[in-house]
Amino acid sequence: MDRIGVVGAGTMGRGVAELFAEHGHEVVLVDVTEAALASARDEIERNVRFAPLVRPGTPVRDPREVSGRIDFTLDLKHLADVDFLIENVTEDWEVKRPLYAELDAVCRPGTPFGVNTSAIPITRVAGLTGRPEHVIGMHFMNPAHLKPTVELIRGHHTSDGTIARTRALLDGVAKGHVLVEDSSGFVTNRVAMLTINEAVFLLHEGVSTAADVDRLFKECFGHAMGPLETADLIGLDTVLLSLKVLYDNFGDPKYRPCPLLTRLVDAGLHGRKTGQGFHSYESGE
Ligand code: NAD
């Protein structure tokens, strides 16, 4: 069974690590802070403990057995013998750019690199490595261990072999996949980020309240979540960074972030992960 390297233990990386560990893979989970690794371990063990309640039909598993398959580490060198790598660090080119040179040097030649990004073009990331044919976009949805489908992105150089390898890996953990061509934001976030940003503008202009904006999407359109709840789930910091990436890539003012979004991020209100965003989660909502 493939040994999986997961870089970044934030909102997404911990879900990706959990997914593969739950399916029996050995995982190396790397971050730059002990705090992120400790909170990832806690969240993964909590998720496994409550899985049979939250997901009826899920077998009862020992949380320590699942987390025991994960090597939580600050040391990138532990990635030397992974068979497949999935990168989930902050949505910031200046964070991703220097990392890929290191990953390229540490990982075996030919090890596929799955890039989990909201909006950065995969071809641009692939250009940072000496293995562009082995680089593929793997846009996991949040929470990564629960959402059924992954958006796969073919970069300019991504080989058919890398696509087949990635599909087989996802089949093995019961994830569906939809393959799209490379474009900043891909299919999902070209639409979702604009929708979220427009919803924030509605709030900013006083047209409606956060609760009512979300209620309209759920009760009128039948969406499972409204756009502002979705933003809280993603993380307002990540939404803002993604809009900036889209704005830079297309040079189109339709992606300019709403000033209210910037203000909330500056205020440290990043959504669920900080307990407050457009809605409050202090009481464990
Ligand atoms: P996050 O801010 O929650 O976590 C990012 C993590 O990366 C942090 O723990 C940080 O310490 C770590 N990190 C930063 N630099 C690092 C480095 N050099 N090496 C190792 N770790 C490093 O962000 P997130 O929401 O998990 O997003 C991660 C990626 O996934 C982003 O590119 C984002 O756009 C994408 N994404 C996010 C969502 C979402 O809903 N949040 C969904 C799909 C894709």
Side-chain angles (χ1 to χ4, degrees), residues 6-14 30-33 35-37 73-74 76 87-92 95-96 98-99 102-103 115-120 138-143 189 193 230-231 233-235 237-239 241-242 273:
V6 179
V7 190
T11 305
M12 295 310 291
R14 60 187 60 185
V30 186
D31 203 285
V32 284
T33 76
L37 293 171
T73 180
L74 297 171
L76 222 55
E87 173 274 309
N88 318 258
V89 306
T90 316
E91 183 74 357
D92 182 336
V95 175
K96 300 225 193 236
L99 174 66
E102 289 188 74
L103 293 175
V115 186
N116 189 12
T117 163
S118 296
I120 298 175
M138 292 178 85
H139 183 210
F140 283 85
M141 303 299 139
N142 181 2
N189 279 338
M193 292 298 164
T230 304
L233 178 70
I234 294 170
D237 50 343
T238 301
V239 171
L241 287 166
S242 303
K273 60 183 163 188

Side-chain angles (χ1 to χ4, degrees), residues 115 117-127 135-138 151-158 179-187 190 249-250:
V115 186
T117 163
S118 296
I120 298 175
I122 302 311
T123 306
R124 195 168 183 216
V125 176
V135 178
I136 184 168
M138 292 178 85
E151 186 177 30
L152 291 184
I153 302 106
R154 187 206 319 262
H156 187 84
H157 294 289
T158 310
L179 180 68
V180 304
E181 301 301 322
D182 199 13
S183 165
S184 174
F186 327 118
V187 170
R190 288 259 305 259
N249 274 282
F250 291 108

